[in-house]
Amino acid sequence: MPYVDGFVLAVPSANKEVYKQYAEDAAIIFKEHGALKVVECWGDDVPEGKVTSFPLAVQRQADETVCFAWIVWPSREVRDEGMKKVMADPRSMQPEKNPNAEMPFDGKRMIYGGFEMVVDV
């Protein structure tokens, strides 16, 4: 069964094109290391909540947009091996490994996790 890594983050709205390029560059690396699909979405209708919401979860500021992304892998095993390879790749999107890969968002406020797919219709 496929495995999914999911992400929610806040990106400065002015960085939309920079973020898009960053995501496209990262997608190439993920796919080379086993990902089946990489999807990046720019928030368009993301309501504020009083108790919970995407904006609250990522502490979105007034000049930021919530982004939602996911990576589909063939399995958890492929994902675990693929992620190791992504992190070791010299083109990695980690600034400490690649000085040209400065994140166009605050990575400390990114929410992420791995999920076992249970329904795929």
Side-chain angles (χ1 to χ4, degrees):
M1 186 62 90
Y3 195 79
V4 177
D5 281 317
F7 309 87
V8 181
L9 53 145
V11 178
S13 299
N15 283 356
K16 183 176 183 179
E17 291 306 315
V18 173
Y19 176 76
K20 185 178 172 193
Q21 185 61 58
Y22 178 89
E24 288 173 356
D25 293 345
I28 291 167
I29 297 167
F30 282 113
K31 291 195 77 180
E32 285 180 9
H33 294 300
L36 298 173
K37 186 174 192 169
V38 178
V39 179
E40 297 279 348
C41 304
W42 190 260
D44 180 55
D45 183 17
V46 186
E48 291 281 345
K50 294 187 192 255
V51 178
T52 63
S53 68
F54 285 124
L56 285 171
V58 295
Q59 301 173 9
R60 183 185 61 90
Q61 305 298 309
D63 64 341
E64 295 177 324
T65 299
V66 173
C67 292
F68 180 57
W70 64 93
I71 303 170
V72 180
W73 302 89
S75 67
R76 168 78 190 262
E77 294 75 26
V78 172
R79 178 268 208 161
D80 289 350
E81 284 303 310
M83 278 297 203
K84 286 179 192 171
K85 291 175 183 174
V86 167
M87 295 304 157
D89 193 305
R91 300 167 299 160
S92 172
M93 303 316 287
Q94 301 172 72
E96 61 273 9
K97 289 199 186 264
N98 179 353
N100 298 320
E102 186 173 333
M103 291 190 293
F105 57 89
D106 181 357
K108 292 182 209 126
R109 292 185 285 139
M110 178 174 64
I111 298 169
Y112 59 92
F115 300 85
E116 179 183 329
M117 193 180 293
V118 294
V119 175
D120 183 16
V121 180

